[in-house]
Amino acid sequence: MAAAPDDGDVQGNGVGALWDLAEDSPADRAAIAGAGGIEAVMGAMAAAPDARTVQGNGCIALTTLAHDSPANGAAIADAGGIEAVTGAIAL
């Protein structure tokens, strides 16, 4: 994702991959957050505000990362995740 910040396909697929990796494991959710995954999702969403795939995958990725993780939920909120999701809904 970092190598192609202006490529909506790369960003959408990257955010989708993070969502998929986070889906089944609390340990993976913690590892993704610790490795900057929340920031990567937020960055992709901010860079492509009109890209439906990026926005949709970003919303699901953030939801998945926050699932059963108060720490991730707080980090997402602190990073502007609530505003990002409400902005995506407006698309």
Side-chain angles (χ1 to χ4, degrees):
M1 291 173 61
D6 297 324
D7 187 325
D9 289 335
V10 169
Q11 297 304 307
N13 288 329
V15 171
L18 289 173
W19 152 30
D20 189 51
L21 291 168
E23 194 161 31
D24 294 323
S25 168
D28 289 347
R29 288 191 285 277
I32 291 165
I38 292 169
E39 293 82 1
V41 172
M42 294 295 300
M45 292 178 76
D50 297 320
R52 290 182 186 269
T53 300
V54 175
Q55 296 301 310
N57 286 354
C59 288
I60 298 169
L62 293 174
T63 300
T64 303
L65 287 165
H67 179 72
D68 286 337
S69 177
N72 283 357
I76 290 165
D78 290 346
I82 295 167
E83 294 82 6
V85 170
T86 57
I89 291 169
L91 284 178

